[in-house]
Amino acid sequence: MSSINKKIYINQAGYLPKDIKTAVLPVNVMSVSVIDKDDKEVYRAKCDHFGFDKPSGDDVYHADFSEVTTEGEYRLVSGDYYSDKFCIGDSAYDKVFYDLVRAYYYFRCGMELKSEHAGKFTHMPCHTEPACEWFDHSVTKDVSGGWHDAGDYGRYVTAGAVALGHLLYAFVLFPKTFEKRDFGIPKTPGLPDFLTECKYELDWLLKMQKPDGGVYHKASTAQHADFVMPEDDLGQMYLLPVSSMAVADFAAVCALAYRVYAEYDKEYADRLLQAAKRSAEWLDNNQDFIGFRNPEGCGTGDYCESNDKDNRFWAYSELYASTGDCEYLNKAEKLSDYGFSKTDLGWGAVGGLGALAYITLRAEWRDESKAKEYGDMYISSAESLLQTANQSGYMAAMGERSYSWGSNMTLMKNAMIFAIADIISPNKEFSHSAKAQFDVLMGVNAMGISYVTGNGDSAYNYPHLRPAFADRIKECIPGMVSGGPNSYRNELYIRQFIPEGTPPMKCFADRTELYSVNEVTIYWNSPAVFVTAYLLDGKDGMR
Ligand code: 9MR
Ligand code: ZN
């Protein structure tokens, strides 16, 4: 059998016994056999013709094998066509969850990653020299630590805050799924591993705050490094000017983290809240939008946004949720009148994170009508995504135009919306669709690729990720979510690897060069962590 015949697409992480299990095939066959380890047929699923799927350009068939619930390792076969191996079992998602979280350990900047925790993917301490302000080199500061943003070694406040927003809300909503789990990272006494990892980034964020509450937009070298190990990137580290988005996102995530850490480490939590309040004061004193654009000579990520209303809304909402102080509530309310989305969870649009502060608010400060208003927005977003998913041959809540830079984040953000809507108003269609988006990420897609390194027989392996290239290890650092298909042809290399006119869902190639389709970032992993935690949380239920 040649790999060209690997045309039966399944979730390469595997399935929980109770999961709905639907294989997708872009080929016309009558039925598909589920074959166990000994090549014995245990079930035969008939194939239904779904029809033409525009985003992938595929004429698609579905084979449902949900009835197979016995633990084991399987493969699907039909004539010459076959699938990757997969398992069915209670622990099916454990490895991918472990790896997705551990990716953050591998993103760590500033410290040595020793083999005890990093296995073969070690690196020496990096980026530890003091940074200086871009416009005034005499102002220097230690801003070591935190996570590298992505395939590059920049560290950006808004990106970091949003990643933490997803991660901490996952913890708030599914604490049991995280609390007891060992993620194989250096321990902090009294703190779950997951919160130790998040604290690594929070500690760095605290260093990015100025005494007046302003927060530098980013710390990076002037240009992206060559494809070298982080410790070999020796360029001067700069602090780029304060932006109001950075200040607001910082205040928001520190206030949120206060609530999470208060139960474990009161002193640390109080420090976070003080920092959040100081930045909120800065926001009060600086009502104008202070955006960010790379100054001349700086070419690292700019994370430009066109307004900061949603960021400020997120900040005041979290501060209200952490203090019960109605002044914060009033400010958040005023901002909420601006027409930004209250369900977006992106690196720039953070209104959905602000809404979550209301939805998860403790009883005594909770305003039921507000919680309902924002909850209803999640529900109606989920309903409209459901329509898109129902029209997709791959069950993806992704239209033809959704495949832009970081499309796997869009996919996982949509899954988050299904998950949140399901929590607010339990609904099988939402939970099934959340799971279906996870299936897409893990291999039920037009490429038959698992977009998480190290997870699945057809996992991609060559991300645009400096250490993964420079370490000369063939196998990639596990647990990294690829940006995914991007039909907008944002870079020159695309021409070489993806022919013009390729259907959007197939605009992907597993090549290190392709930063606009195959990079990784901390805020592309985080929604995947959220979604996997949600699925694990419902493991004993019927999700
Ligand atoms: O994730 C960002 C994506 O949505 C934008 O389209 C793109 C171009 O502005 O930038 C992406 O962010 C990159 C950041 O600027 C620097 N680190 C790597 C990020 C992922 O490519
Ligand atoms: Zn570093």
Side-chain angles (χ1 to χ4, degrees), residues 108-110 126-127 148 153 230:
R108 283 191 192 192
C109 180
C126 55
H127 307 113
H148 297 134
Y153 293 133

Side-chain angles (χ1 to χ4, degrees), residues 206-247:
L206 290 169
K207 293 183 182 176
M208 293 295 282
Q209 189 186 38
K210 294 173 59 163
D212 69 350
V215 179
Y216 294 107
H217 189 74
K218 66 172 171 178
S220 81
T221 49
Q223 300 295 338
H224 288 313
D226 290 338
F227 265 62
V228 297
M229 289 302 283
E231 59 268 34
D232 297 326
D233 174 25
L234 299 170
Q236 172 66 45
M237 186 61 62
Y238 292 101
L239 287 163
L240 280 291
V242 170
S243 72
S244 49
M245 299 92 70
V247 180

Side-chain angles (χ1 to χ4, degrees), residues 149-152 156 224 300-303 347 405-406 515 519-521 523-524:
D149 180 60
D152 66 299
Y156 312 92
H224 288 313
T300 52
D302 64 358
Y303 290 111
W347 63 253
W405 198 321
Y515 54 87
E519 194 171 347
V520 300
T521 76
Y523 52 90
W524 294 341

Side-chain angles (χ1 to χ4, degrees), residues 176-207:
K176 297 249 159 349
T177 300
F178 290 101
E179 258 165 359
K180 298 254 142 38
R181 272 177 208 253
D182 184 328
F183 289 103
I185 61 168
K187 308 290 168 225
T188 313
L191 212 54
D193 271 6
F194 184 72
L195 295 187
T196 294
E197 195 49 57
C198 293
K199 185 170 183 290
Y200 197 76
E201 179 76 349
L202 285 163
D203 287 347
W204 168 73
L205 276 179
L206 290 169
K207 293 183 182 176

